[in-house]
Short mmCIF file of all heavy atoms in Angstrom, two decimals:
data_model
loop_
_atom_site.label_atom_id
_atom_site.label_comp_id
_atom_site.label_asym_id
_atom_site.label_seq_id
_atom_site.Cartn_x
_atom_site.Cartn_y
_atom_site.Cartn_z
N ILE A 1 0.86 -1.20 0.00
CA ILE A 1 0.00 0.00 0.00
C ILE A 1 0.89 1.24 0.00
O ILE A 1 1.55 1.56 0.99
CB ILE A 1 -0.99 0.09 1.18
CG1 ILE A 1 -1.83 -1.17 1.30
CG2 ILE A 1 -1.89 1.32 1.02
CD1 ILE A 1 -2.74 -1.17 2.52
N THR A 2 0.90 1.95 -1.10
CA THR A 2 1.70 3.16 -1.18
C THR A 2 0.89 4.36 -0.68
O THR A 2 -0.33 4.38 -0.80
CB THR A 2 2.14 3.42 -2.62
OG1 THR A 2 1.00 3.42 -3.48
CG2 THR A 2 3.10 2.35 -3.09
N PHE A 3 1.60 5.34 -0.10
CA PHE A 3 0.86 6.51 0.37
C PHE A 3 1.69 7.78 0.23
O PHE A 3 2.92 7.75 0.12
CB PHE A 3 0.34 6.31 1.78
CG PHE A 3 1.35 6.34 2.89
CD1 PHE A 3 1.38 7.40 3.79
CD2 PHE A 3 2.23 5.29 3.08
CE1 PHE A 3 2.28 7.42 4.83
CE2 PHE A 3 3.13 5.30 4.14
CZ PHE A 3 3.16 6.38 5.01
N TYR A 4 0.98 8.90 0.23
CA TYR A 4 1.51 10.23 -0.05
C TYR A 4 0.88 11.23 0.92
O TYR A 4 -0.18 10.97 1.47
CB TYR A 4 1.19 10.64 -1.49
CG TYR A 4 1.73 9.70 -2.53
CD1 TYR A 4 1.07 8.50 -2.81
CD2 TYR A 4 2.91 9.98 -3.21
CE1 TYR A 4 1.58 7.61 -3.74
CE2 TYR A 4 3.42 9.10 -4.14
CZ TYR A 4 2.76 7.91 -4.40
OH TYR A 4 3.27 7.03 -5.30
N SER A 5 1.53 12.37 1.06
CA SER A 5 0.98 13.44 1.90
C SER A 5 1.03 14.76 1.13
O SER A 5 1.86 14.95 0.24
CB SER A 5 1.75 13.56 3.21
OG SER A 5 3.09 14.00 2.97
N SER A 6 0.13 15.68 1.51
CA SER A 6 0.05 16.98 0.86
C SER A 6 -0.61 17.97 1.80
O SER A 6 -1.44 17.60 2.63
CB SER A 6 -0.78 16.87 -0.42
OG SER A 6 -1.03 18.14 -0.98
N ASP A 7 -0.26 19.25 1.67
CA ASP A 7 -0.96 20.27 2.45
C ASP A 7 -1.93 21.08 1.59
O ASP A 7 -2.56 22.01 2.08
CB ASP A 7 0.02 21.20 3.16
CG ASP A 7 0.94 21.94 2.20
OD1 ASP A 7 0.74 21.85 0.98
OD2 ASP A 7 1.87 22.62 2.69
N ASP A 8 -2.07 20.69 0.30
CA ASP A 8 -2.94 21.48 -0.57
C ASP A 8 -3.69 20.65 -1.62
O ASP A 8 -4.39 21.22 -2.46
CB ASP A 8 -2.13 22.57 -1.27
CG ASP A 8 -0.98 22.02 -2.10
OD1 ASP A 8 -0.88 20.79 -2.26
OD2 ASP A 8 -0.18 22.85 -2.61
N MET A 9 -3.56 19.33 -1.60
CA MET A 9 -4.12 18.44 -2.61
C MET A 9 -3.57 18.72 -4.01
O MET A 9 -4.13 18.30 -5.01
CB MET A 9 -5.66 18.50 -2.64
CG MET A 9 -6.31 17.79 -1.48
SD MET A 9 -8.08 17.49 -1.71
CE MET A 9 -8.75 19.14 -1.51
N GLU A 10 -2.46 19.43 -4.07
CA GLU A 10 -1.81 19.74 -5.34
C GLU A 10 -0.44 19.09 -5.43
O GLU A 10 -0.11 18.44 -6.42
CB GLU A 10 -1.62 21.26 -5.49
CG GLU A 10 -2.88 22.07 -5.50
CD GLU A 10 -2.58 23.55 -5.64
OE1 GLU A 10 -1.39 23.91 -5.80
OE2 GLU A 10 -3.52 24.34 -5.58
N ASN A 11 0.37 19.33 -4.42
CA ASN A 11 1.76 18.87 -4.40
C ASN A 11 1.87 17.72 -3.40
O ASN A 11 1.61 17.90 -2.21
CB ASN A 11 2.67 20.01 -3.98
CG ASN A 11 2.52 21.21 -4.89
OD1 ASN A 11 3.04 21.23 -6.00
ND2 ASN A 11 1.79 22.22 -4.43
N TRP A 12 2.26 16.55 -3.92
CA TRP A 12 2.23 15.32 -3.11
C TRP A 12 3.64 14.80 -2.87
O TRP A 12 4.45 14.72 -3.78
CB TRP A 12 1.40 14.26 -3.81
CG TRP A 12 -0.05 14.63 -3.89
CD1 TRP A 12 -0.68 15.31 -4.90
CD2 TRP A 12 -1.03 14.37 -2.90
NE1 TRP A 12 -2.00 15.48 -4.60
CE2 TRP A 12 -2.26 14.91 -3.39
CE3 TRP A 12 -1.02 13.73 -1.66
CZ2 TRP A 12 -3.45 14.83 -2.67
CZ3 TRP A 12 -2.21 13.64 -0.95
CH2 TRP A 12 -3.40 14.18 -1.45
N GLN A 13 3.88 14.40 -1.64
CA GLN A 13 5.17 13.82 -1.26
C GLN A 13 5.00 12.32 -1.03
O GLN A 13 4.12 11.90 -0.28
CB GLN A 13 5.69 14.47 0.01
CG GLN A 13 7.05 13.93 0.46
CD GLN A 13 7.68 14.83 1.50
OE1 GLN A 13 8.20 15.89 1.19
NE2 GLN A 13 7.63 14.39 2.75
N HIS A 14 5.82 11.52 -1.70
CA HIS A 14 5.75 10.08 -1.54
C HIS A 14 6.27 9.70 -0.15
O HIS A 14 7.40 10.01 0.21
CB HIS A 14 6.60 9.41 -2.63
CG HIS A 14 6.53 7.92 -2.61
ND1 HIS A 14 7.56 7.12 -3.04
CD2 HIS A 14 5.54 7.08 -2.22
CE1 HIS A 14 7.21 5.85 -2.91
NE2 HIS A 14 6.00 5.80 -2.41
N GLU A 15 5.43 9.02 0.64
CA GLU A 15 5.79 8.69 2.02
C GLU A 15 6.24 7.24 2.18
O GLU A 15 6.60 6.84 3.28
CB GLU A 15 4.59 8.95 2.94
CG GLU A 15 4.17 10.42 3.02
CD GLU A 15 5.15 11.28 3.79
OE1 GLU A 15 6.11 10.73 4.36
OE2 GLU A 15 4.97 12.51 3.81
N GLY A 16 6.18 6.46 1.11
CA GLY A 16 6.63 5.07 1.23
C GLY A 16 5.48 4.09 1.16
O GLY A 16 4.55 4.25 0.36
N ARG A 17 5.52 3.09 2.02
CA ARG A 17 4.51 2.03 2.01
C ARG A 17 4.07 1.73 3.43
O ARG A 17 4.83 1.91 4.39
CB ARG A 17 5.05 0.78 1.32
CG ARG A 17 6.39 0.32 1.82
CD ARG A 17 7.01 -0.74 0.92
NE ARG A 17 6.36 -2.03 1.05
CZ ARG A 17 6.58 -3.06 0.24
NH1 ARG A 17 7.43 -2.95 -0.77
NH2 ARG A 17 5.96 -4.21 0.41
N VAL A 18 2.85 1.25 3.57
CA VAL A 18 2.30 0.95 4.90
C VAL A 18 2.90 -0.34 5.44
O VAL A 18 3.34 -0.40 6.59
CB VAL A 18 0.76 0.86 4.83
CG1 VAL A 18 0.19 0.33 6.14
CG2 VAL A 18 0.17 2.23 4.49
N PHE A 19 2.90 -1.39 4.64
CA PHE A 19 3.49 -2.67 5.04
C PHE A 19 4.90 -2.76 4.48
O PHE A 19 5.10 -2.67 3.26
CB PHE A 19 2.67 -3.85 4.50
CG PHE A 19 1.38 -4.10 5.20
CD1 PHE A 19 0.22 -3.44 4.82
CD2 PHE A 19 1.31 -5.00 6.26
CE1 PHE A 19 -0.98 -3.68 5.46
CE2 PHE A 19 0.13 -5.25 6.91
CZ PHE A 19 -1.04 -4.58 6.51
N ALA A 20 5.88 -2.95 5.35
CA ALA A 20 7.25 -3.10 4.88
C ALA A 20 7.38 -4.38 4.05
O ALA A 20 8.13 -4.42 3.06
CB ALA A 20 8.21 -3.15 6.06
N GLY A 21 6.64 -5.40 4.43
CA GLY A 21 6.62 -6.66 3.69
C GLY A 21 5.21 -6.93 3.19
O GLY A 21 4.71 -6.23 2.32
N GLU A 22 4.58 -7.91 3.76
CA GLU A 22 3.21 -8.24 3.40
C GLU A 22 2.51 -8.81 4.63
O GLU A 22 3.16 -9.25 5.59
CB GLU A 22 3.18 -9.27 2.27
CG GLU A 22 3.84 -10.58 2.63
CD GLU A 22 4.00 -11.51 1.45
OE1 GLU A 22 4.42 -11.05 0.37
OE2 GLU A 22 3.71 -12.71 1.60
N PRO A 23 1.18 -8.79 4.68
CA PRO A 23 0.47 -9.38 5.82
C PRO A 23 0.85 -10.85 5.98
O PRO A 23 1.01 -11.58 5.00
CB PRO A 23 -1.01 -9.23 5.42
CG PRO A 23 -1.03 -8.10 4.45
CD PRO A 23 0.26 -8.19 3.69
N GLU A 24 0.98 -11.29 7.21
CA GLU A 24 1.43 -12.65 7.48
C GLU A 24 0.51 -13.70 6.86
O GLU A 24 0.96 -14.78 6.48
CB GLU A 24 1.52 -12.88 8.99
CG GLU A 24 2.60 -12.06 9.68
CD GLU A 24 2.66 -12.33 11.17
OE1 GLU A 24 1.84 -13.14 11.67
OE2 GLU A 24 3.53 -11.74 11.84
N TRP A 25 -0.76 -13.37 6.74
CA TRP A 25 -1.74 -14.34 6.29
C TRP A 25 -1.97 -14.34 4.78
O TRP A 25 -2.71 -15.17 4.25
CB TRP A 25 -3.09 -14.09 6.98
CG TRP A 25 -3.55 -12.65 6.87
CD1 TRP A 25 -3.31 -11.65 7.75
CD2 TRP A 25 -4.30 -12.08 5.79
NE1 TRP A 25 -3.88 -10.47 7.31
CE2 TRP A 25 -4.50 -10.72 6.10
CE3 TRP A 25 -4.84 -12.58 4.61
CZ2 TRP A 25 -5.20 -9.85 5.26
CZ3 TRP A 25 -5.53 -11.72 3.77
CH2 TRP A 25 -5.71 -10.37 4.10
N ALA A 26 -1.32 -13.43 4.05
CA ALA A 26 -1.65 -13.19 2.64
C ALA A 26 -1.53 -14.45 1.78
O ALA A 26 -2.44 -14.78 1.01
CB ALA A 26 -0.77 -12.08 2.08
N LYS A 27 -0.43 -15.17 1.88
CA LYS A 27 -0.23 -16.32 1.01
C LYS A 27 -1.04 -17.53 1.43
O LYS A 27 -1.20 -18.47 0.65
CB LYS A 27 1.26 -16.66 0.92
CG LYS A 27 2.01 -15.63 0.07
CD LYS A 27 3.42 -16.03 -0.23
CE LYS A 27 4.08 -15.00 -1.15
NZ LYS A 27 5.50 -15.30 -1.41
N GLU A 28 -1.58 -17.52 2.64
CA GLU A 28 -2.51 -18.58 3.02
C GLU A 28 -3.82 -18.42 2.27
O GLU A 28 -4.47 -19.40 1.90
CB GLU A 28 -2.76 -18.54 4.53
CG GLU A 28 -1.52 -18.83 5.37
CD GLU A 28 -1.80 -18.70 6.85
OE1 GLU A 28 -3.00 -18.58 7.22
OE2 GLU A 28 -0.85 -18.72 7.65
N VAL A 29 -4.21 -17.17 2.03
CA VAL A 29 -5.44 -16.89 1.30
C VAL A 29 -5.22 -17.01 -0.20
O VAL A 29 -6.02 -17.61 -0.91
CB VAL A 29 -5.95 -15.47 1.64
CG1 VAL A 29 -7.05 -15.03 0.69
CG2 VAL A 29 -6.42 -15.40 3.08
N ALA A 30 -4.14 -16.42 -0.69
CA ALA A 30 -3.85 -16.38 -2.12
C ALA A 30 -2.41 -16.83 -2.33
O ALA A 30 -1.48 -16.02 -2.26
CB ALA A 30 -4.05 -14.97 -2.67
N PRO A 31 -2.18 -18.12 -2.57
CA PRO A 31 -0.82 -18.66 -2.67
C PRO A 31 0.04 -17.96 -3.71
O PRO A 31 1.27 -17.94 -3.58
CB PRO A 31 -1.05 -20.13 -3.04
CG PRO A 31 -2.40 -20.44 -2.47
CD PRO A 31 -3.20 -19.19 -2.65
N GLU A 32 -0.58 -17.38 -4.75
CA GLU A 32 0.19 -16.71 -5.79
C GLU A 32 0.33 -15.21 -5.52
O GLU A 32 0.78 -14.46 -6.39
CB GLU A 32 -0.47 -16.94 -7.15
CG GLU A 32 -0.50 -18.41 -7.55
CD GLU A 32 -1.21 -18.64 -8.87
OE1 GLU A 32 -1.41 -17.65 -9.61
OE2 GLU A 32 -1.57 -19.79 -9.16
N PHE A 33 -0.01 -14.78 -4.33
CA PHE A 33 0.11 -13.36 -3.96
C PHE A 33 1.55 -12.90 -4.12
O PHE A 33 2.48 -13.57 -3.67
CB PHE A 33 -0.34 -13.18 -2.52
CG PHE A 33 -0.17 -11.78 -1.99
CD1 PHE A 33 -0.98 -10.75 -2.41
CD2 PHE A 33 0.82 -11.51 -1.05
CE1 PHE A 33 -0.82 -9.47 -1.92
CE2 PHE A 33 0.99 -10.23 -0.54
CZ PHE A 33 0.16 -9.21 -0.98
#
């Protein structure tokens, strides 16, 4: 999940990602995730 921040909805700063890796359960649900 990528995310950004802005103080005016015009100029956006890339803040990185929410999950450094992936949810622990992801491949149990979708093995090809």
Side-chain angles (χ1 to χ4, degrees):
I1 307 175
T2 53
F3 73 110
Y4 302 79
S5 66
S6 172
D7 60 7
D8 58 8
M9 286 194 288
E10 299 179 4
N11 303 283
W12 293 91
Q13 181 165 284
H14 184 209
E15 296 288 354
R17 50 192 287 170
V18 171
F19 285 87
E22 61 189 45
E24 293 181 358
W25 51 268
K27 287 189 177 177
E28 296 177 11
V29 168
E32 297 178 16
F33 176 72

